[in-house]
Amino acid sequence: MKRMSQALEVRGLVDQILHCDPDARIIVAGDFNSEPEEVPVPAICGNVEDTGNADLATRVLVPIEHTIANEARYSLFHRGRGQMIDHMLVTRNLLAQYRGSEIHNEILHDESIAFATDTKYPESDHAPVIAIFDFN
């Protein structure tokens, strides 16, 4: 419930900004603690299929992780399975400048309880998600 409430609040902020400036360039990024198909991510994206309102098509946010190969698309390793829970969602008007993205998950350790000790792995258990844009 908490993640869903937070997602609705973020979506409301995105809609407020786009209402005032339909050409605003927006990136919503961070640890969503939700995989792409879980409710918070689609709620923030606002896909037409989910809203049923084609007039909102210009307000849809696009997950940049879709440009990364499936086998490399994870930002957390938990119980032997990669999970994509860190996201970067962008407005469509940024796609013309978008050049690609990377997830640096090469040295992630399994953060499940058996391995989750900060003394053994003091670094973050989330991989950086990077997007490259060219505004020249």
Side-chain angles (χ1 to χ4, degrees):
M1 289 298 278
K2 183 178 180 181
R3 278 188 252 157
M4 185 58 202
S5 296
Q6 291 168 332
L8 290 175
E9 186 171 339
V10 169
R11 184 67 229 184
L13 290 171
V14 168
D15 286 333
Q16 265 185 319
I17 294 167
L18 291 172
H19 179 76
C20 293
D21 180 3
D23 297 322
R25 295 176 178 168
I26 300 172
I27 299 174
V28 177
D31 178 1
F32 288 41
N33 274 324
S34 296
E35 294 202 68
E37 67 282 352
E38 293 178 17
V39 173
V41 178
I44 295 172
C45 287
N47 294 321
V48 172
E49 299 83 17
D50 296 329
T51 65
N53 187 345
D55 293 338
L56 298 178
T58 58
R59 294 183 175 202
V60 171
L61 298 182
V62 179
I64 57 99
E65 70 247 18
H66 290 169
T67 64
I68 297 173
N70 279 339
E71 62 274 2
R73 196 182 304 160
Y74 63 94
S75 60
L76 181 81
F77 198 64
H78 181 76
R79 295 188 180 190
R81 181 179 159 267
Q83 297 179 325
M84 189 65 202
I85 64 169
D86 300 274
H87 304 277
M88 193 174 302
L89 314 174
V90 304
T91 49
R92 290 181 183 213
N93 60 357
L94 281 169
L95 294 178
Q97 291 84 33
Y98 176 67
R99 298 296 174 256
S101 48
E102 303 170 350
I103 302 173
H104 290 277
N105 53 21
E106 302 85 359
I107 61 169
L108 281 182
H109 62 279
D110 193 320
E111 64 79 54
S112 57
I113 297 302
F115 305 102
T117 60
D118 287 340
T119 52
K120 189 172 182 181
Y121 298 106
E123 69 278 355
S124 176
D125 52 8
H126 293 250
V129 178
I130 298 167
I132 301 154
F133 296 88
D134 183 359
F135 294 102
N136 291 325

